[in-house]
Amino acid sequence: MQSQSLTPEERQSVWHTLRNPRLLLVELLAGVVVALALIPEALAFAVVAGVDPRMGLFTSVTMAIVIAITGGRPAMVSGAAGSTALVLAPLTASHGVDYLVAAVLLGGLMQVLFAVLGVAQLMRFIPRQVMVGFVNALAILIFSSQLPQLIGVPWAVYPLVAVGLLIVIYLPKLTTAVPAPLVAIVLLTAFTVFAGVRVPTVGDHGALPDSLPAFFIPNVPFTAETLQIIAPFALGLAMVGLVESLMTAKLVDDITDTHSDKTRESWGQGVANLVTGLFGGMGGCAMIGQTMININGARARTRLSVFFGGVFILVLSVTLGDIVALIPMAALVALMIVVAATTFDWHSIRPATLRALPKAETLVMVSTVLVTVLTDNLAYGVGAGILLAMAFFARRVARFVTVERNFEASSDSGQDGARAVYRVDGQLFFASSNDLYTLFEYAEDPNQVVIDLSSANIWDASTVSALDAITAKYQKLGKTVTVIGLNTTSEDLHGRLTGRLG
């Protein structure tokens, strides 16, 4: 595994930013925007997990600061996430906060282990349409998560949201010197305070902390029974957190046209969760909404913005909590609506695109979206999309296998000097080899049969078993079968398994 310290290129980028006042200002302001966007989310997700709201804030502080150093994707924001909160909520309800923290620590260890095993490299097997479905589902979840802030609220919320939308959308067309999200938050907060407009605020989501996070060791018995209780939740945290983080990293790679180290990101997420657990946090992962704000809205590109974001959450929560609590939720709702709209891949649902795509590809994308939205779990949606894509791929490839039967002269054949030669063309695996048995004319063939696999590849035991079954049936009829044309890989697999599969 590669070293987890900053690469020379990353160190050069950070130092270049620190020496350039204009770039440094961009990263600092982006950190403020990220902090303001993370605070209400952290408070809300803490409620989902069934813990003190301050626990959610401390989680975002430690996750952001640690991942800025250890993560593999610069400018990607991590914090207390809704997906991981949903995984851990039942454990909190049944066994309490100490068991939750123990599960976070174990989940972090699992993520580090996954990094060592190279699990992150499996990202290459995620089809494009699953990625598109992931992005579209995220956009829908981001938008739908704002609806509670728009239902049953004072009428003043709606014009505030409209003004916030106008600022975030149109201010960048006039100037990019200051992040539009920050301008919207400051202006709408100032207006509601000085005009005396009563609308829901960040403070309504829970009390902000008044002290620094402290070192915390969960008070649980170190027994096999405890491990049995927390292990399923820890595995859920590790898997859901990694899926969401790695998919988000891939999305940011595409947006910024850069490459990130997915193995290092897995390692970094694990370390961040370990540190978070040691400070009594609820665990987390990459957050797509805040990442899009940081990348697209605030135009940040380095680790500094995420580091500053974590520091600012701590400073704002502890020293300026009373001011932060006054921020109207309408400002953050407007910001998240724009994020949802810009995250959604509108090109993917254009009629021309849908007509051009194979129906199976469209079904994979739609299934990913539906499962994610219905379960509110990104891991389930991605898993369903991958399984469906694999099934369609196997079905498609299986159809490409052809078997051609010819007769050739053979001096040692006992039937009119001829032998049957079957030329097999295609990829032979469990889906395509299941029908292979039915493609031979057993009774009509002469005493010598040749199966030519020079245009085929054997990929699994199912194919070897099918060839054994074909050979056995011919032998029952007193006929001889010869398999020729195997390439090196196929010959090795066939030689090791033939006659040993029952």
Side-chain angles (χ1 to χ4, degrees):
M1 188 172 61
Q2 296 179 359
S3 171
Q4 306 308 326
S5 59
L6 267 63
T7 64
E9 292 79 10
E10 290 172 331
R11 284 196 294 270
Q12 183 179 4
S13 175
V14 169
W15 281 115
H16 175 68
T17 302
L18 288 172
R19 291 195 301 266
N20 188 315
R22 184 180 62 82
L23 295 179
L24 182 59
L25 180 62
V26 170
E27 300 295 320
L28 278 169
L29 293 177
V32 174
V33 173
V34 166
L36 294 176
L38 276 172
I39 288 173
E41 296 274 324
L43 295 172
F45 293 147
V47 173
V48 171
V51 299
D52 189 308
R54 284 169 288 196
M55 192 172 177
L57 285 174
F58 287 151
T59 297
S60 289
V61 170
T62 53
M63 286 292 297
I65 291 175
V66 175
I67 204 66
I69 300 169
T70 64
R73 172 66 260 178
M76 189 170 78
V77 181
S78 292
S83 54
T84 54
L86 288 169
V87 170
L88 296 173
L91 179 61
T92 310
S94 60
H95 290 82
V97 172
D98 286 284
Y99 278 82
L100 176 145
V101 174
V104 171
L105 291 169
L106 181 58
L109 285 174
M110 288 180 176
Q111 288 178 327
V112 171
L113 179 61
F114 290 156
V116 173
L117 296 176
V119 172
Q121 299 303 319
L122 296 177
M123 283 293 296
R124 72 182 72 177
F125 296 107
I126 297 180
R128 180 185 180 279
Q129 287 307 101
V130 175
M131 273 296 299
V132 173
F134 167 81
V135 169
N136 290 346
L138 279 172
I140 294 171
L141 290 180
I142 291 170
F143 178 78
S144 62
S145 67
Q146 307 310 308
L147 294 180
Q149 305 297 332
L150 297 172
I151 299 174
V153 294
W155 68 268
V157 167
Y158 303 110
L160 287 174
V161 171
V163 172
L165 287 171
L166 291 174
I167 294 174
V168 175
I169 293 172
Y170 291 106
L171 182 62
K173 300 180 185 300
L174 302 176
T175 178
T176 58
V178 182
L182 181 59
V183 173
I185 291 170
V186 171
L187 290 181
L188 293 182
T189 302
F191 174 77
T192 55
V193 170
F194 291 113
V197 179
R198 298 184 62 84
V199 292
T201 64
V202 169
D204 295 333
H205 282 263
L208 276 73
D210 54 8
S211 62
L212 297 175
F215 192 73
F216 181 88
I217 296 295
N219 184 24
V220 298
F222 292 90
T223 62
E225 182 181 0
T226 299
L227 182 62
Q228 186 177 2
I229 292 170
I230 67 174
F233 297 96
L235 181 60
L237 168 72
M239 294 302 297
V240 169
L242 273 188
V243 168
E244 187 162 354
S245 298
L246 296 179
M247 294 287 278
T248 303
K250 193 172 188 303
L251 175 62
V252 178
D253 288 352
D254 294 339
I255 292 173
T256 60
D257 196 24
T258 57
H259 173 72
S260 62
D261 188 336
K262 305 302 185 297
T263 298
R264 177 174 169 177
E265 185 61 38
S266 176
W267 186 90
Q269 290 289 334
V271 173
N273 273 308
L274 281 171
V275 174
T276 295
L278 291 174
F279 282 93
M282 54 182 271
C285 64
M287 304 183 71
I288 183 67
Q290 283 70 18
T291 298
M292 290 298 100
I293 291 172
N294 195 38
I295 298 291
N296 288 338
R299 302 180 185 277
R301 288 296 182 269
T302 75
R303 300 172 182 277
L304 292 174
S305 59
V306 182
F307 180 83
F308 289 144
V311 172
F312 285 141
I313 295 173
L314 190 60
V315 172
L316 292 172
S317 301
V318 175
T319 65
L320 301 175
D322 293 339
I323 296 176
V324 173
L326 297 175
I327 296 174
M329 289 303 299
L332 299 174
V333 169
L335 180 54
M336 297 306 284
I337 289 176
V338 173
V339 168
T342 55
T343 300
F344 195 92
D345 186 351
W346 297 100
H347 178 76
S348 67
I349 61 171
R350 290 178 181 172
T353 304
L354 295 176
R355 284 194 299 268
L357 277 175
K359 289 183 173 57
E361 299 276 322
T362 301
L363 186 57
V364 168
M365 185 266 285
V366 172
S367 298
T368 303
V369 173
L370 287 178
V371 174
T372 299
V373 172
L374 292 177
T375 63
D376 202 26
N377 191 311
L378 291 164
Y380 289 161
V382 172
I386 291 174
L387 288 175
L388 193 59
M390 288 172 59
F392 283 134
F393 175 75
R395 184 167 176 262
R396 217 164 34 238
V397 173
R399 292 179 176 178
F400 294 152
V401 173
T402 59
V403 176
E404 181 183 351
R405 178 178 180 239
N406 294 300
F407 291 97
E408 294 180 356
S410 176
S411 59
D412 56 349
S413 175
Q415 184 174 342
D416 299 328
R419 65 179 182 178
V421 178
Y422 287 87
R423 289 186 173 83
V424 182
D425 189 344
Q427 305 302 314
L428 299 174
F429 62 110
F430 62 90
S432 57
S433 60
N434 283 337
D435 294 332
L436 194 63
Y437 182 84
T438 64
L439 301 178
F440 290 78
E441 304 291 341
Y442 300 95
E444 289 78 11
D445 283 340
N447 291 333
Q448 286 193 20
V449 176
V450 175
I451 302 177
D452 184 358
L453 298 178
S454 56
S455 298
N457 290 289
I458 297 177
W459 292 111
D460 59 8
S462 296
T463 303
V464 178
S465 178
L467 290 172
D468 285 352
I470 293 168
T471 301
K473 184 159 185 178
Y474 274 116
Q475 287 175 344
K476 286 182 180 180
L477 297 172
K479 301 177 182 182
T480 303
V481 177
T482 304
V483 178
I484 65 171
L486 291 170
N487 58 37
T488 303
T489 303
S490 299
E491 185 174 16
D492 177 65
L493 184 63
H494 184 264
R496 283 188 289 112
L497 297 180
T498 185
R500 301 181 182 180
L501 299 174

